[in-house]
Amino acid sequence: MKHCRGGTRLAGCRAVLALALGLVLFGAARCMPQKNLVPIEVTDLTLDTTEENAGGVTETKSSEVIIGGSLKEAAHLHDSNELVVTLSILVDKPSDFKPQQRLLTLSHAERKTRAAKFVGDVRSAGEGSLRVEFRVTAEAIEKQVGTLNGEYSAEVIVADSAFEESYRTSFGKIVVSHAHQEDGSLSVDPEPSARESAYELRKEFEHVMRPADKRAPSAISLVFAGAMFCPLVLLVPVAASAGANLKKLPSVFLAAVLFHAAVAATLGVIVYYWLSLPFLKTLPILSGLSAFAALAGFHLLRGLCKEKAD
């Protein structure tokens, strides 16, 4: 019966260890760079201003190439025209390939939380090349942020999991002017939302800091900090005098120290994750510590079982 129980415990420890090792391999695989990533090359970024003439035919009023820089002057958008942002990309992909993320963001210069987003249409330009086209109208902006006039910062992002690096650039300002109201007055900007009010500028105030209080020298602080660890020195004799069984401590001391150190390190990593450590970096570290803790705990339990059998 004892042998059966020991075998069951051993199998359970092996299962836990295998699970921990699996997590380590999974975390390592997530951290390894992906293969078969393709480079991209942006060959052209243009902004066209189009407008319908009296006959209802759309004409291009102006066109500006902005690759590698920004607009020379702010582009103007109103209810009677349309802005077309076109991005030309060279990429080693089939002609029907579409990047997963194609986004043009217009963020208001003063009210930062107000932003309008536009998804680009992909048009194939032949094998190994494509064009992403964004069409911006005042009506589409009004649907997202209301009749908010003024300057907007323009940013384009094109990304995909198959790209070595995503493409992201800010190319200047766009001035949006919405139509006048029926009485001829300018359109009214929407009232600030609760989210905007939380981040709006506060009134400036002045405050004179009082002189710092006198403190004891740092040496005294270090002495008292060291005194806090004195109870740890008395822990073993006090535990022995209280009736604790410390006879088996020397034989499993190293395994016990390693096991408890691994548990403490695991808790430390979790605290660090709460503070600032990214999840994808936390996962492999935590997996490795869990595997080490499981292995140390297995050896600790096996040592205790041997001591008990003897």
Side-chain angles (χ1 to χ4, degrees):
M1 181 65 70
K2 291 182 178 180
H3 177 72
C4 181
R5 290 178 179 175
T8 303
R9 291 177 180 175
L10 183 60
C13 292
R14 288 177 177 175
V16 173
L17 182 58
L19 178 61
L21 291 176
L23 290 174
V24 172
L25 295 176
F26 174 76
R30 290 296 300 271
C31 292
M32 290 178 62
Q34 299 182 8
K35 298 181 180 179
N36 302 324
L37 298 181
V38 296
I40 63 171
E41 180 183 355
V42 177
T43 60
D44 195 16
L45 177 62
T46 60
L47 186 144
D48 299 329
T49 302
T50 63
E51 189 172 343
E52 289 187 359
N53 57 19
V57 179
T58 301
E59 296 179 345
T60 301
K61 294 296 184 180
S62 64
S63 180
E64 183 176 348
V65 178
I66 51 180
I67 186 67
S70 59
L71 294 170
K72 296 179 181 178
E73 296 181 357
H76 291 267
L77 177 66
H78 46 81
D79 287 352
S80 59
N81 70 348
E82 182 182 37
L83 300 182
V84 182
V85 179
T86 306
L87 184 68
S88 300
I89 301 175
L90 294 179
V91 58
D92 187 15
K93 286 293 182 180
S95 57
D96 59 346
F97 172 75
K98 293 184 178 182
Q100 296 168 343
Q101 186 177 14
R102 314 174 302 274
L103 193 64
L104 169 64
T105 304
L106 300 181
S107 303
H108 198 266
E110 296 180 0
R111 299 168 64 171
K112 304 294 186 181
T113 58
R114 293 277 185 163
K117 301 180 184 296
F118 299 86
V119 178
D121 296 325
V122 178
R123 303 178 185 275
S124 175
E127 188 72 20
S129 61
L130 56 89
R131 296 171 57 197
V132 183
E133 187 177 277
F134 304 91
R135 292 187 171 273
V136 182
T137 62
E139 182 181 359
I141 294 178
E142 183 178 353
K143 290 180 179 179
Q144 298 187 52
V145 298
T147 55
L148 183 58
N149 300 295
E151 283 191 351
Y152 288 76
S153 300
E155 182 185 59
V156 171
I157 298 176
V158 177
D160 193 274
S161 59
F163 291 168
E164 285 185 353
E165 293 183 359
S166 59
Y167 177 77
R168 180 175 184 174
T169 184
S170 300
F171 58 85
K173 303 290 186 181
I174 295 177
V175 179
V176 179
S177 301
H178 292 281
H180 290 67
Q181 296 182 357
E182 296 180 357
D183 57 359
S185 61
L186 292 174
S187 55
V188 180
D189 292 344
E191 293 293 330
S193 62
R195 181 184 177 188
E196 290 180 278
S197 300
Y199 297 99
E200 67 181 359
L201 295 176
R202 299 292 191 267
K203 293 182 178 180
E204 185 178 357
F205 65 93
E206 295 181 358
H207 178 69
V208 179
M209 302 296 293
R210 68 178 184 180
D213 296 333
K214 292 184 178 180
R215 297 183 179 182
S218 58
I220 297 179
S221 300
L222 293 175
V223 169
F224 279 96
M228 294 178 59
F229 295 96
C230 291
L232 295 177
V233 180
L234 302 176
L235 178 62
V236 174
V238 171
S241 62
N245 186 7
L246 303 178
K247 296 180 180 180
K248 300 178 182 180
L249 182 61
S251 60
V252 295
F253 179 74
L254 180 59
V257 170
L258 293 177
F259 173 71
H260 287 89
V263 173
T266 301
L267 295 176
V269 170
I270 293 174
V271 172
Y272 189 27
Y273 165 68
W274 285 341
L275 295 176
S276 62
L277 189 63
F279 175 75
L280 292 181
K281 291 185 178 180
T282 304
L283 186 60
I285 298 174
L286 201 58
S287 301
L289 287 175
S290 300
F292 181 77
L295 185 61
F298 169 74
H299 284 288
L300 176 60
L301 292 176
R302 186 173 64 176
L304 292 175
C305 289
K306 285 184 178 181
E307 290 288 342
K308 187 175 181 180
D310 296 339

